[in-house]
Amino acid sequence: MMSQINDVEIQLEILKYIESKGILKACLLFKLEKWILNRFSHNCLIRKRDINRNIISLLKKKKIDLIIPHFFKIKWQVRELENLKYLENGNYLIRTIIKENNDWDQYYFDTRTKNNINEQKSIRLLQDILKLKGEKKKKIILYLTSNIKPLVIYDKFDDNYRLDQSDIIIPNNFEVIKKKISIPLNEQQNYQLVIYRYRKKYMCFYITIIETIQNIIVNLITQKNNHQYFKKKIVDLKTKFAFYCYLFVTNDWIDVKPNPYKWESFFKYYNLPISINLSFNNVKFTGRTFEFYIKFSYQIKIKTYAKSTIQYLKRLGYEVINMDMDTVSIGYTHNVFIPCSSIEYFYFCGKYIFFYYLFLLFYNTHKYIKKEYTSYNFSKNDRDLYKVFLPITKLISNFKEKKLEKNIIFKYYSKDPDELEIIYNKFLLPLVKPIENRLYNYFLIRGIFKKDSISSI
């Protein structure tokens, strides 16, 4: 017989879920609903209306806030393109942003601006908002009101995060692509399913915020000559954009908690002495295309007695960063230059570059780690995990297997957002699912083996 979960329990679970969501302590409503229903529906009688009722209760108590940025839709339309840098002339599926309301510079809805949401009129409005469906529902963000970093989309950005506002100078050492690419329209249409599935699975509040700010920037650029405070406004928006991109990837790649269901937590899960630093130095917008200049550094602590390992790493090009009586920290710093038209391309492109080099460091220190961490029984398959990323790294950048590249530059460097989108759709997105599934399944099994090996000691 199904038991009944009470409102206090539901509210505690809502708060717990939001609390777990990174520095900003925020989440999308549809993700929250899905999580709670999956968590309790097998043994408790719980429905969406129960969740919504308790969300309203928490809003009334000022425990959480709800915001919705302006609405916009993403549509794909066939258009003939000519004189592209890497693609042959032809018909291509182009992403088009369709705005659904008139204002680019204000929230569609924001409980922070409501003095009294206990009124019946306000409650009915909240009930209607929580019943929104489709793409509109996927814009609804909930976050903890007590959080010290409230969401800032349209308001002035007052955080101490700083961004270099000078022009980005791209090193001229990337591969020149001479032969133009031909992609049939039916092949392009297959990519749309990949994008749809990605957004359904990976969509998060960071993506919603980042896309919203990107659209505001694009709109502002079109009004550049008519906007009185254009320079000041664009600096503010670019800083916000970089700040949320930085929080997004840091939350997903660096600050990820040890978890056998997240392969990204490999190094923390096994408590390996590898530290990482990621800084977004600059971002430049050319219409919808944004170019990132990122510094990405990492290091591993090696015991001073392991002189042969230290010397081997130095011969490979790694640099000594710090030394003390017991350990030597040795690693590398890369400059990464990635042009993108949409955040999902940056996320996966940057992620696979990032983890390729971390797993390459693991490969190069495998003998030492295997000796120091005997209980984990690291194998040859563990050692070679960096190879999982090679199909993408060879396609999208100036990678040479096992080599350290100081300046990492996207092979198809273009400022045309449509061309970039088509290239990423062909070379990046179709490989995402195979990579993610392979690593997820491998790490899940590897985690079980780890537990078995520890329990048998």
Side-chain angles (χ1 to χ4, degrees):
M1 184 175 177
M2 300 287 278
S3 61
Q4 184 73 44
I5 182 171
N6 63 48
D7 287 350
V8 173
E9 290 177 279
I10 294 173
Q11 289 179 34
L12 285 173
E13 290 300 327
I14 291 170
L15 293 173
K16 188 194 301 182
Y17 181 79
I18 301 175
E19 175 69 35
S20 70
K21 295 299 167 184
I23 293 175
L24 291 182
K25 312 297 181 193
C27 70
L28 291 176
L29 171 63
F30 86 97
K31 291 278 189 177
L32 170 66
E33 286 181 349
K34 184 178 178 182
W35 183 81
I36 291 182
L37 290 172
N38 287 343
R39 183 172 173 81
F40 293 107
S41 59
H42 63 287
N43 58 7
C44 295
L45 186 62
I46 184 168
R47 292 153 295 198
K48 284 186 181 179
R49 67 170 177 251
D50 300 319
I51 300 169
N52 290 349
R53 183 181 69 249
N54 283 285
I55 286 173
I56 290 173
S57 180
L58 289 170
L59 288 167
K60 288 163 66 176
K61 296 174 188 174
K62 291 291 184 182
K63 295 282 187 181
I64 63 175
D65 269 301
L66 183 153
I67 70 168
I68 307 175
H70 64 264
F71 287 127
F72 61 88
K73 280 185 178 179
I74 297 172
K75 286 194 174 181
W76 296 84
Q77 299 175 333
V78 177
R79 189 184 304 165
E80 186 176 359
L81 299 181
E82 297 179 344
N83 302 318
L84 298 173
K85 194 173 181 181
Y86 304 108
L87 299 172
E88 289 186 354
N89 295 347
N91 290 325
Y92 293 96
L93 272 170
I94 303 304
R95 183 191 300 246
T96 306
I97 307 298
I98 299 174
K99 186 174 58 169
E100 288 202 1
N101 57 303
N102 294 325
D103 298 313
W104 285 95
D105 58 354
Q106 63 183 3
Y107 296 99
Y108 176 82
F109 185 81
D110 184 355
T111 55
R112 297 172 299 181
T113 64
K114 310 296 179 186
N115 295 324
N116 187 1
I117 60 173
N118 289 290
E119 295 176 351
Q120 195 59 38
K121 184 179 177 182
S122 297
I123 291 171
R124 282 199 299 270
L125 178 58
L126 286 169
Q127 288 171 339
D128 290 340
I129 284 171
L130 293 174
K131 289 177 185 175
L132 287 172
K133 298 184 182 298
E135 290 302 313
K136 288 187 176 181
K137 181 163 191 167
K138 293 181 181 180
K139 297 286 183 184
I140 301 173
I141 303 173
L142 299 170
Y143 78 99
L144 298 183
T145 52
S146 58
N147 187 25
I148 59 171
K149 287 184 180 290
L151 300 182
V152 176
I153 298 177
Y154 308 96
D155 322 283
K156 187 177 182 299
F157 186 77
D158 289 323
D159 200 279
N160 60 2
Y161 186 84
R162 294 291 176 265
L163 190 70
D164 183 358
Q165 298 292 339
S166 61
D167 199 14
I168 299 176
I169 300 173
I170 308 297
N172 191 25
N173 66 330
F174 55 96
E175 184 178 348
V176 177
I177 308 296
K178 294 180 180 178
K179 186 176 180 181
K180 291 199 172 185
I181 305 163
S182 174
I183 310 174
L185 191 59
N186 62 341
E187 184 181 335
Q188 297 173 50
Q189 289 166 339
N190 292 335
Y191 301 146
Q192 304 316 304
L193 185 58
V194 176
I195 295 169
Y196 170 78
R197 286 173 176 167
Y198 156 74
R199 295 181 76 85
K200 184 177 179 181
K201 183 174 182 180
Y202 293 99
M203 195 69 174
C204 68
F205 69 92
Y206 280 119
I207 294 176
T208 301
I209 296 167
I210 291 163
E211 283 188 336
T212 299
I213 296 171
Q214 180 183 4
N215 285 331
I216 299 169
I217 290 172
V218 173
N219 183 62
L220 184 64
I221 289 172
T222 63
Q223 300 176 356
K224 178 178 178 179
N225 296 330
N226 299 323
H227 199 286
Q228 186 178 1
Y229 303 107
F230 173 79
K231 287 186 178 179
K232 188 175 181 180
K233 188 74 174 174
I234 204 74
V235 167
D236 181 68
L237 287 165
K238 283 170 61 178
T239 305
K240 287 179 194 171
F241 183 84
F243 175 72
Y244 287 118
C245 287
Y246 169 77
L247 290 187
F248 179 26
V249 300
T250 300
N251 182 69
D252 248 33
W253 307 346
I254 299 173
D255 292 341
V256 58
K257 295 176 182 176
N259 186 337
Y261 299 98
K262 285 188 73 72
W263 65 263
E264 296 91 341
S265 71
F266 179 91
F267 301 98
K268 286 192 176 180
Y269 190 71
Y270 293 108
N271 198 29
L272 299 178
I274 294 175
S275 58
I276 306 154
N277 182 264
L278 189 68
S279 62
F280 283 47
N281 284 25
N282 206 344
V283 60
K284 178 183 178 181
F285 274 84
T286 307
R288 192 159 55 88
T289 299
F290 56 91
E291 304 168 71
F292 268 126
Y293 167 33
I294 299 166
K295 275 195 178 293
F296 158 45
S297 60
Y298 48 91
Q299 54 189 289
I300 183 170
K301 283 190 174 182
I302 305 289
K303 299 286 179 64
T304 51
Y305 67 75
K307 291 183 173 57
S308 60
T309 300
I310 295 167
Q311 291 305 313
Y312 174 67
L313 291 175
K314 288 169 73 174
R315 286 197 300 273
L316 291 175
Y318 293 100
E319 301 161 351
V320 173
I321 296 168
N322 195 24
M323 299 176 66
D324 56 37
M325 291 290 291
D326 301 314
T327 62
V328 174
S329 294
I330 187 166
Y332 201 77
T333 299
H334 303 273
N335 300 311
V336 186
F337 302 88
I338 305 176
C340 291
S341 55
S342 186
I343 188 62
E344 61 257 45
Y345 305 117
F346 165 74
Y347 175 80
F348 284 112
C349 184
K351 177 180 180 179
Y352 296 142
I353 290 170
F354 181 88
F355 279 104
Y356 169 81
Y357 279 113
L358 290 183
F359 280 106
L360 182 62
L361 178 62
F362 178 74
Y363 169 87
N364 287 324
T365 54
H366 182 258
K367 286 183 181 178
Y368 169 80
I369 290 173
K370 189 173 174 64
K371 183 178 177 181
E372 289 290 321
Y373 296 83
T374 54
S375 62
Y376 295 143
N377 193 28
F378 287 121
S379 67
K380 181 179 180 293
N381 288 333
D382 299 324
R383 182 198 68 181
D384 292 339
L385 280 170
Y386 80 95
K387 293 180 180 179
V388 174
F389 305 100
L390 285 175
I392 278 186
T393 58
K394 288 178 179 178
L395 283 169
I396 63 175
S397 192
N398 54 327
F399 278 70
K400 294 180 179 63
E401 187 174 349
K402 297 184 184 178
K403 300 292 184 183
L404 297 177
E405 189 66 50
K406 190 70 176 177
N407 296 319
I408 301 169
I409 305 165
F410 182 59
K411 184 188 291 187
Y412 300 96
Y413 208 97
S414 170
K415 295 183 181 182
D416 186 313
D418 297 327
E419 184 171 30
L420 280 171
E421 199 122 270
I422 296 159
I423 290 169
Y424 276 120
N425 288 349
K426 179 175 177 61
F427 291 138
L428 176 64
L429 289 191
L431 293 173
V432 167
K433 186 176 179 181
I435 287 176
E436 295 292 330
N437 285 349
R438 182 177 173 186
L439 287 167
Y440 172 81
N441 292 329
Y442 182 87
F443 190 28
L444 181 62
I445 295 170
R446 186 65 181 82
I448 294 169
F449 288 162
K450 175 224 169 187
K451 290 175 186 175
D452 290 344
S453 66
I454 290 175
S455 62
S456 64
I457 293 174

